[in-house]
Amino acid sequence: MIDFLQLLIYGIVLGSILTLGAIGASLVYGILRFANFAHGDMMTVGAYLALVAVTTTGMSVYVALPFAMIGGAAIAIFFDQIVYKRLRRTVPIILLISSFSTALILRSVTQLIWGPKNQVYEAGISLPYVVGGVRIRPDHVTIFVGSVLLIIAFHLFLKYTMAGKAMRAMSDNVDLARISGVNSERVFLWTWAIGGALAAAAGVFLALDTRLHPEMGWHVLLAVFAAVIVGGIGRPYGAIAGGMIIGVATELSTMVFEPAYKPAVAFALMVIVLVLRPTGVIKGQP
Amino acid sequence: MTTLLEVIDIRAGYGEADILNGLTLTLSDNEIAVIIGPNGAGKSTLMKAIFGLVSVHGGDIRFAGQVISGRRADQIAKLGLSYVPQERNVFASMTVHENLEMGAYLLRAGLRDHLSRVYDLFPQLQERRNQIAGTLSGGERQMLAMGRALMLDPRLLLLDEPTAALAPRYVAETFERIREIRSQGIGVLMVEQNARQALAVADRGIVLVMGQNRFEDSGPKLLANREIAEMYLGG
Amino acid sequence: MMEDLLGSVTFGVFFLTTVGIYVVSVLGLNLQWGMTGQLNFGIAGFFALGAYTSAIMTTAPSDHHLGGFEMPIFVGFAAAMIVAGITAVLVGLITVRLRTDYLAIATIGIAEIVRLFLKNEDWLTNGVRGIPGIPRPFEASVGDNMFVFMAIVFFCVVLVYLALERARRAPWGRVLRAIRENEMGAEAAGKHITRFRLEAFVVGSMIMGLAGALFAHQIGFISPEAFTPRFATFIVWVMLIAGGSGNNRGAMLGALVIWLVWSGTGFVTSIVPPEYATQVSAVRLLMIGVLVQVILLYRPEGLLPEKPPNSRT
């Protein structure tokens, strides 16, 4: 039972990180209509941006988080304006391949600037809280609470601002949004800004949970996509459920399977969902 | 009466192929015009072409004196043109209220006035204002689609088969609403399968065949025309 | 002087052999993406399966991994293609119906699982320590001769190229193109789209398995580290896009040009201090990424655009 609770906590922590990544990936998928293969590497870059803030100013990583998010948003918008914008008239698959090379660019630039080694925000080990035999690291509390706050902020944005409503409308029905007067280019900018910022936050939390490494984001990309697909493409609230399901299932699987095969769990769940609904999880998505 | 919409010798279609081959029509404000014609004649394509949702290869479309062909859909909406597509015409994942808000997306202020006018026209929508649009019945959904299109106070409303998916009891009510809309000074251009009922409320009927306008006359005269009745109104 | 000459000959042979192996991979990918429109980002997985299969079949018996069975090398090649093919059938039966973008996501998962499997199943693969001592073809009769091996690689290239060109012109290839261009039309014509797509996916993956086997015998030692996506997947994609998707000659030209660029920038690695070596490899990767974007933006059809065998339909 203790083991189960312990793994559940790890699962919720992983699920929080995946959720933040999946919300953005799902929005981009639903609104710009392509699977953004650079989403994992956007997480990586966000984590390193926070590292820069931490090491240059000595600020704590919590203070660095907003800067990383702004940087993440800016980088996402940069690639959209320089590359994706010019490819919008082509088929979505070309955008997907383009994002695949964006991923390569982000990863190699990260390695170029910060080197290939593992790094951490703060050296030293913080003692875990022990609650009824279950060990909880302070970083885990930070990740969970931080994710919940960001998700609430994002929810309020979607629910109560016109930009948020326009994003939901575009994700629901592009043509109808346009004839209602929505300027799609502006919504695309919002989408990248939010997707990039949340990806950066996910990257910072992932680095808190494990460590910084140029390939850290690429390694969770599959799990992020699995969360997007399980939750339903273009459905940000579905992405929350998807992220939590993938995170918890991945950690709990170690009670049954070799821990080495953890990444396969996300894949298996994703394939099950795809096989049950091969044309996509939501009806009407082209 | 002033000319609101001019479609001049337009050629348009999906990709390279033209479905509209040199169609020309004009529409005045405060007028209901109904387009009828066999399937594949290009009725829906015309509506999409006006909003720039299909490729326009030739000709001109003007609205209130301005050329609108080649403009983005959101810029066209700004000029006072509204469009209710035949299918997928509501934001299914959003509430009724949010759908109407999206209709008023370009509005800077005065949302409440516009909302109350649409709710006056379609009282059922007010009862269901917090319901998700995807769960509405077909008739309610059509009302919401029209309500959304009316939020901005358009000068011209394009309706693509507003009664196609409706139970018979809603059909008459829909035409009644369309007449009400016109009485508020809004022009209506509609494509209809229920040709007889539509022509009965129309000021003008246009028969579209093979991407061109074949006949044009007042609604009652078209209804009385035997040749047209036989060919396009099912005898 | 003599040594210099020998050095450049060795380099030249090694270079051309490597290009040949990449050509085989790119041709396999061209069948999947160029001709059928299936996005496979899991090339590394099939490549690694082929490499490991052939290694296990042909090495001397070992306590550290399954086998080896000391079979002739061509048995190793055949087994590599069979294992890659069977895996592709299993994967394809589930994924081939999926929309292309879902397939792309699924294939990175497949490659990841293959990598985990090779890394963790010590009894089979010796885990991270890898498999050494993979023989060269005809080592017993002619010794370890690089020219012989290059000839074998080229033989495989010619064979795969001719087979794919023939398939491309055959009705089978026309159906694949029809599926790629417009699934509805092909379906209406009574073609079993799923079957054709599965066939293309499996045959393409088998060709990648063959390329992996050639690679294993070229290098002589394999470990899971050798099959990171960056070498086995990214570069193959860049080669195909640069050369011209859908055109088998373009695919071959792309492999040559990109490997020239890659090797040309590679010698920089040898003149900088070793501690910067990884940084230089990052610069090379960055160039590859930028190159793809530039190609997609300015010459999406590649160096040699696709020419349909028949006049435009």
Side-chain angles (χ1 to χ4, degrees):
Chain A
M1 189 60 194
I2 298 271
D3 280 357
F4 175 80
L5 287 176
Q6 185 72 63
L7 289 173
L8 192 62
I9 284 170
Y10 292 154
I12 290 169
V13 169
L14 179 61
S16 308
I17 296 166
L18 294 179
T19 295
L20 291 180
I23 288 173
S26 192
L27 281 175
V28 171
Y29 215 148
I31 293 173
L32 288 110
R33 312 267 144 180
F34 73 96
N36 176 25
F37 271 68
H39 214 79
D41 294 283
M42 281 161 52
M43 290 168 62
T44 309
V45 172
Y48 278 94
L49 290 177
L51 181 71
V52 171
V54 169
T55 50
T56 53
T57 68
M59 64 171 72
S60 86
V61 68
Y62 315 116
V63 184
L65 182 66
F67 293 105
M69 290 176 70
I70 292 167
I75 288 168
I77 288 174
F78 173 81
F79 274 95
D80 181 66
Q81 294 297 302
I82 297 294
V83 186
Y84 305 140
K85 189 176 183 179
R86 303 176 195 201
L87 295 173
R88 287 215 228 289
R89 283 173 183 277
T90 64
V91 288
I93 287 302
I94 299 299
L95 282 156
L96 191 159
I97 295 172
S98 173
S99 74
F100 191 67
S101 47
T102 300
L104 209 56
I105 291 170
L106 291 176
R107 205 173 317 153
S108 45
V109 168
T110 303
Q111 186 168 332
L112 209 56
I113 300 175
W114 292 289
K117 289 196 179 59
N118 286 340
Q119 299 186 56
V120 290
Y121 291 121
E122 272 174 77
I125 303 162
S126 51
L127 286 176
Y129 312 118
V130 181
V131 184
V134 178
R135 301 156 67 84
I136 303 174
R137 276 170 46 201
D139 283 344
H140 286 167
V141 179
T142 307
I143 292 168
F144 180 70
V145 173
S147 302
V148 169
L149 290 176
L150 284 173
I151 289 168
I152 289 171
F154 171 71
H155 162 73
L156 296 175
F157 170 83
L158 275 190
K159 186 92 186 148
Y160 294 109
T161 68
M162 237 20 232
K165 285 173 193 168
M167 278 171 69
R168 279 158 61 210
M170 283 280 288
S171 188
D172 186 313
N173 191 331
V174 175
D175 280 348
L176 193 61
R178 287 200 173 126
I179 61 183
S180 301
V182 175
N183 179 348
S184 47
E185 282 297 324
R186 194 167 304 164
V187 174
F188 293 157
L189 289 183
W190 274 108
T191 306
W192 283 114
I194 288 173
L198 291 179
V204 172
F205 291 157
L206 181 63
L208 270 181
D209 187 28
T210 55
R211 74 274 172 280
L212 291 122
H213 184 267
E215 296 200 339
M216 59 189 267
W218 170 252
H219 286 306
V220 297
L221 180 67
L222 181 65
V224 168
F225 276 139
V228 169
I229 286 169
V230 170
I233 289 167
R235 288 170 54 186
Y237 297 105
I240 301 170
M244 281 298 165
I245 289 171
I246 299 292
V248 170
T250 300
E251 293 297 339
L252 288 185
S253 74
T254 57
M255 297 178 85
V256 188
F257 302 107
E258 283 278 320
Y261 289 107
K262 269 204 283 192
V265 175
F267 175 76
L269 285 173
M270 179 180 86
V271 167
I272 290 169
V273 170
L274 284 178
V275 168
L276 295 178
R277 306 285 301 267
T279 51
V281 179
I282 335 177
K283 253 168 78 178
Q285 287 281 355
Chain B
M1 295 247 288
T2 52
T3 303
L4 203 51
L5 180 74
E6 291 170 273
V7 175
I8 303 153
D9 194 23
I10 192 179
R11 288 183 297 107
Y14 299 90
E16 299 289 306
D18 281 338
I19 293 175
L20 300 177
N21 299 301
L23 177 106
T24 297
L25 66 85
T26 58
L27 195 84
S28 306
D29 58 355
N30 215 358
E31 173 179 50
I32 298 179
V34 173
I35 301 174
I36 61 172
N39 284 332
K43 303 188 299 283
S44 295
T45 309
L46 170 63
M47 303 231 145
K48 290 180 184 163
I50 293 171
F51 252 96
L53 299 176
V54 293
S55 324
V56 177
H57 303 127
D60 253 344
I61 304 171
R62 281 181 209 170
F63 181 70
Q66 297 192 52
V67 175
I68 59 169
S69 25
R71 290 206 195 181
R72 290 199 318 260
D74 60 292
Q75 294 169 328
I76 294 170
K78 220 174 261 184
L79 297 174
L81 197 58
S82 264
Y83 170 36
V84 181
Q86 184 186 351
E87 284 164 333
R88 304 213 336 120
N89 53 18
V90 297
F91 297 107
S93 65
M94 301 171 84
T95 65
V96 168
H97 181 77
E98 286 171 338
N99 266 271
L100 296 178
E101 275 187 305
M102 284 312 298
Y105 183 77
L106 292 168
L107 205 63
R108 298 255 170 251
L111 176 67
R112 194 164 300 180
D113 291 350
H114 287 75
L115 263 179
S116 64
R117 253 192 317 175
V118 168
Y119 282 144
D120 282 349
L121 196 59
F122 303 108
Q124 292 102 311
L125 293 181
Q126 186 151 28
E127 293 162 27
R128 302 199 178 272
R129 58 193 302 277
N130 289 319
Q131 194 171 329
I132 300 289
T135 64
L136 294 175
S137 74
E140 291 163 342
R141 204 186 276 225
Q142 192 60 42
M143 285 175 203
L144 177 60
M146 285 169 61
R148 181 204 57 76
L150 290 170
M151 279 300 287
L152 270 188
D153 248 343
R155 300 174 68 186
L156 175 63
L157 181 63
L158 308 181
L159 295 172
D160 194 350
E161 308 234 359
T163 67
L166 297 188
R169 65 195 171 93
Y170 282 115
V171 174
E173 196 189 330
T174 303
F175 286 126
E176 189 49 44
R177 292 285 168 277
I178 291 169
R179 244 206 287 243
E180 247 173 87
I181 290 166
R182 193 260 319 259
S183 72
Q184 296 179 0
I186 298 169
V188 176
L189 176 64
M190 100 177 120
V191 167
E192 239 328 309
Q193 291 282 354
N194 286 317
R196 284 177 183 280
Q197 278 168 285
L199 286 174
V201 299
D203 301 304
R204 202 142 57 94
I206 299 154
V207 182
L208 197 62
V209 182
M210 307 274 283
Q212 291 178 327
N213 34 336
R214 190 62 60 85
F215 303 101
E216 215 175 308
D217 213 331
S218 74
K221 279 192 184 152
L222 274 183
L223 275 175
N225 184 322
R226 265 176 89 185
E227 189 191 352
I228 286 173
E230 272 172 25
M231 285 178 72
Y232 305 113
L233 304 176
Chain C
M1 180 64 198
M2 207 42 205
E3 269 171 23
D4 281 1
L5 187 66
L6 200 66
S8 19
V9 170
T10 309
F11 178 80
V13 170
F14 189 82
F15 176 87
L16 289 175
T17 308
T18 310
V19 169
I21 293 171
Y22 273 119
V23 166
V24 175
S25 265
V26 179
L27 287 173
L29 181 66
N30 193 32
L31 175 59
Q32 294 176 340
W33 165 246
M35 290 169 69
T36 324
Q38 291 174 310
L39 228 53
N40 180 354
F41 283 147
I43 304 167
F46 297 102
F47 193 81
L49 280 176
Y52 268 92
T53 305
S54 195
I56 288 169
M57 293 303 281
T58 58
T59 46
S62 158
D63 295 334
H64 301 295
H65 57 84
L66 183 70
F69 297 107
E70 277 194 298
M71 298 284 222
I73 277 168
F74 295 101
V75 176
F77 288 176
M81 293 178 74
I82 290 168
V83 169
I86 290 173
T87 311
V89 170
L90 295 178
V91 167
L93 283 176
I94 310 171
T95 58
V96 92
R97 280 166 221 271
L98 301 179
R99 249 171 47 185
T100 312
D101 47 349
Y102 294 150
L103 180 68
I105 297 169
T107 51
I108 60 170
I110 291 154
E112 177 68 5
I113 289 168
V114 167
R115 195 181 66 83
L116 292 172
F117 181 77
L118 296 175
K119 197 170 154 186
N120 291 297
E121 300 302 318
D122 281 17
W123 60 275
L124 181 67
T125 63
N126 198 24
V128 289
R129 288 177 298 282
I131 299 180
I134 304 165
R136 286 281 174 87
F138 305 116
E139 213 170 323
S141 45
V142 298
D144 184 0
N145 187 317
M146 60 186 187
F147 292 102
V148 172
F149 187 66
M150 181 172 76
I152 288 171
V153 170
F154 283 5
F155 178 72
C156 290
V157 168
V158 171
L159 216 61
V160 170
Y161 172 77
L162 291 178
L164 287 181
E165 272 300 297
R166 206 188 156 108
R168 191 170 71 90
R169 288 160 207 274
W172 190 70
R174 286 205 294 273
V175 174
L176 293 184
R177 254 190 318 283
I179 291 171
R180 187 190 67 188
E181 296 304 332
N182 172 7
E183 304 216 5
M184 293 316 202
E187 189 145 46
K191 306 294 182 189
H192 299 285
I193 288 178
T194 310
R195 210 192 79 210
F196 279 94
R197 288 180 61 156
L198 183 62
E199 285 170 1
F201 185 72
V202 170
V203 174
S205 302
M206 288 171 75
I207 296 171
M208 292 168 189
L210 174 64
L214 291 170
F215 171 80
H217 293 280
Q218 183 196 22
I219 303 296
F221 166 77
I222 51 170
S223 72
E225 287 301 297
F227 304 102
T228 56
R230 74 172 48 167
F231 290 108
T233 299
F234 298 155
I235 291 190
V236 176
W237 263 101
V238 179
M239 287 168 171
L240 181 59
I241 289 171
S245 320
N247 183 329
N248 283 324
R249 285 182 204 191
M252 303 202 320
L253 180 66
L256 178 67
V257 169
I258 294 298
W259 196 245
L260 261 177
V261 173
W262 185 259
S263 308
T265 56
F267 88 100
V268 181
T269 319
S270 56
I271 57 173
V272 298
E275 57 265 36
Y276 294 110
T278 51
Q279 307 302 83
V280 174
S281 88
V283 174
R284 297 166 78 194
L285 218 52
L286 173 63
M287 284 174 41
I288 293 288
V290 172
L291 186 62
V292 176
Q293 302 285 34
V294 170
I295 293 169
L296 289 179
L297 285 173
Y298 298 106
R299 196 172 168 85
E301 71 276 20
L303 291 169
L304 291 182
E306 179 181 13
K307 275 188 234 112
N310 306 328
S311 58
R312 270 190 68 119
T313 49

